[in-house]
Amino acid sequence: MSSRLKAPASPGRPKDLEKRAAILDAAKRLFPIHGFEGVSMDAIAAEAGVSKLTVYSHFSDKDTLFREAVKARCEDQLPHAFFEIATEPMAIRDQLLTIARAFHALVTSDETVVMYRMMAAQAPANSKLAALFFEAGPQRILSEFETLLRHAVSTKSLAIDDTHEAAGHFFCLVKGLCHMRMLIGVCTAPSEAEATAHVSRVVDLFLRAYAPR
């Protein structure tokens, strides 16, 4: 018999990561359907196929799980790689188009429209929840995009005096009037062709506004 001892399992083993991913997937499905108050940790545990104790071992409370679910949903659609500063020269228009397409697809998805409506409805009574949502989703996207814009300014690809304001302009333009109409239920998501044309026009407008002088 070998005298070697079996090495203890290390933390963060794949099984734990799989359970965490299953919990996040369950939260991403349930919160838009039932709202924050309508979802319990028991329901998320059942949907994920794990115990409630396992849910709490990964996420200390429902606020934390909600924040991480919003963050994960945004990162699924707009991964950090989209905002990375390229080591080789890359046309700024191509990168802006990639980000704009992904963001437009995110904000016009059924899940996101439902989530925006839920945030608006609950904001007067639960401003903390709205803050969690904004910081985990929109704020993270804005911050990473602003970093990208500052790099574009430093390389003279763009001429922007206020990158924070410009980042806000960009994403508001990408959402467009269609997003507001979807929120109040007077239109459905645009077709792929319509979305592509809209995003291209927005990126071209943004580049004209901030072209190097």
Side-chain angles (χ1 to χ4, degrees), residues 23 41-42 51-62:
I23 295 166
M41 296 296 257
D42 285 307
S51 69
K52 186 163 75 170
L53 182 62
T54 299
V55 175
Y56 277 108
S57 72
H58 287 279
F59 305 95
S60 58
D61 52 40
K62 192 163 73 167

Side-chain angles (χ1 to χ4, degrees), residues 9 12 29 38 58 62 79 86 94 103 108 114 118 129 148 182 188:
R29 287 192 297 271
H58 287 279
K62 192 163 73 167
D94 292 340
F103 180 75
T108 58
V114 170
M118 182 181 78
L129 184 65
L148 176 64
M182 288 183 68
T188 58

Side-chain angles (χ1 to χ4, degrees), residues 120-202:
Q122 296 189 0
N126 194 346
S127 59
K128 178 184 175 183
L129 184 65
L132 285 174
F133 172 79
F134 186 79
E135 290 169 9
Q139 185 59 63
R140 171 247 150 182
I141 294 171
L142 282 165
S143 297
E144 291 203 51
F145 188 68
E146 188 177 350
T147 299
L148 176 64
L149 292 184
R150 286 198 297 268
H151 175 75
V153 171
S154 70
T155 58
K156 302 189 186 308
S157 298
L158 297 173
I160 303 173
D161 295 327
D162 187 335
T163 54
H164 178 73
E165 183 180 57
H169 287 165
F170 181 79
F171 290 113
C172 286
L173 286 168
V174 173
K175 282 195 299 184
L177 181 61
C178 177
H179 181 254
M180 190 270 281
R181 297 180 69 214
M182 288 183 68
L183 288 179
I184 61 175
V186 297
C187 78
T188 58
S191 68
E192 184 176 350
E194 290 170 336
T196 298
H198 166 71
V199 164
S200 295
R201 287 193 295 268
V202 165

